[in-house]
Amino acid sequence: MAEPDTRPGPGGADSRRLPRYAAGEIDVPFVIAGRAEDIPRDTFWEEHSHPTHELLWNERGASSASVGKRVWTITPAVGLWVPAGTPHSGWTPAGTRHRAAQFSIHAAPAVSERAVAVEVTPLLRLLLDRLDGGGLGAGERSRTEAMVLDLLAPSRRELILQIPESPLLAPIVEAVREDPGDATTLAVWAERLGVSTRTLTRAFRAETGLGFGGWTAAARVQRAAEMLARGEEVEEVAACVGYRSASAFGVAFRRVTGLSPGRFRAQ
């Protein structure tokens, strides 16, 4: 597979460029091939696509990947399956231990025909580590690969944010993504934008499937997950993303992820 071309990017971050391949454009000599990397600097991965299916997850830290207008948060517990040929970009903060596995489209059935969250269980991690470690005979490798393929399945939980494209909603999206603790209400936004609250609610539901409150809660939880994965304290994260108490934050976080903030941080 091609190595990324790394260049200085804006704000001191690195920018990496990879080729765009169609599904199966390159015939790879493996069933599963893994890669691990400690990311020393904030890194933006420009939009690219692979000839193979890809599983992204992190051994340490949280990152994000974008497919179209959908943004997934990737953690040690929840990874992302990206089908071969699917254009995607990514953001990996400094300090992340980034993991990726490529799957031959001829030897590995697709988990999904679209990008989807995958639960990275302790057993799945152990099996992928075994494949990456080398030294396996052909039979051992084949059996390990078969077990990996059996374990791969869409997760019931996913940290995903649908980004609205409407110019009307752009100021709200920019403000909340810049500062998830922004407490501006729907009524205030409606007054600023010269429309009714009903118009804004309809626009959010049409583009994201969520109302204003649901969308802002998802944006807050996504940022919170990134902070918790860096090891930041629950109380500090709660305040940063706009909750007055850790208990209120815990309820909102568990509603989206199925885990308490403390449990998520520990994972």
Side-chain angles (χ1 to χ4, degrees):
M1 302 296 291
E3 289 296 317
D5 170 27
T6 302
R7 300 166 294 151
D14 285 344
S15 182
R16 297 197 185 185
R17 177 178 293 174
L18 283 165
R20 293 174 181 250
Y21 291 110
E25 184 174 340
I26 294 177
D27 189 18
V28 297
F30 55 77
V31 177
I32 304 173
R35 186 170 185 267
E37 181 182 1
D38 289 305
I39 304 296
R41 292 162 58 86
D42 290 349
T43 300
F44 173 68
W45 305 76
E46 298 179 20
E47 190 171 78
H48 60 282
S49 55
H50 302 286
T52 52
H53 303 308
E54 183 175 47
L55 175 64
L56 298 168
W57 81 105
N58 295 320
E59 195 170 316
R60 179 181 65 248
S63 58
S64 63
S66 299
V67 180
K69 290 296 181 179
R70 307 181 88 192
V71 181
W72 278 265
T73 297
I74 298 167
T75 73
V78 181
L80 179 66
W81 175 268
V82 183
T86 301
H88 59 289
S89 59
W91 173 258
T92 310
T96 303
R97 182 159 176 78
H98 166 74
R99 301 287 298 270
Q102 307 296 329
F103 294 75
S104 165
I105 67 169
H106 303 297
V111 172
S112 171
E113 296 303 318
R114 62 180 182 85
V116 67
V118 169
E119 185 174 2
V120 184
T121 63
L123 177 56
L124 180 58
R125 286 196 293 270
L126 286 172
L127 292 169
L128 290 166
D129 285 344
R130 189 168 191 246
L131 291 175
D132 291 353
L136 297 178
E140 291 175 305
R141 185 169 189 88
S142 179
R143 287 191 293 273
T144 304
E145 289 169 339
M147 292 176 69
V148 167
L149 297 176
D150 281 344
L151 287 172
L152 288 173
S155 175
R156 290 176 297 174
R157 300 191 302 268
E158 58 181 358
L159 290 167
I160 185 172
L161 192 66
Q162 180 81 26
I163 307 300
E165 296 184 272
S166 166
L168 172 64
L169 301 180
I172 303 176
V173 172
E174 182 179 358
V176 174
R177 296 201 74 194
E178 180 69 24
D179 176 16
D182 187 304
T184 306
T185 65
L186 180 65
V188 171
W189 275 117
E191 184 177 353
R192 287 181 186 175
L193 299 173
V195 297
S196 68
T197 56
R198 180 174 296 180
T199 295
L200 288 182
T201 298
R202 285 176 175 171
F204 266 107
R205 289 200 179 279
E207 293 202 47
T208 71
L210 300 171
F212 171 78
W215 188 86
T216 54
R220 289 175 172 181
V221 168
Q222 191 173 70
R223 179 67 63 84
E226 296 170 3
M227 297 175 70
L228 290 168
R230 291 198 299 265
E232 298 187 32
E233 296 297 331
V234 172
E235 292 77 9
E236 295 175 0
V237 174
C240 182
V241 298
Y243 289 91
R244 294 184 178 179
S245 69
S247 59
F249 167 60
V251 170
F253 191 87
R254 189 181 294 108
R255 185 180 299 122
V256 175
T257 67
L259 298 171
S260 70
R263 178 62 177 163
F264 183 90
R265 183 174 181 271
Q267 287 190 351

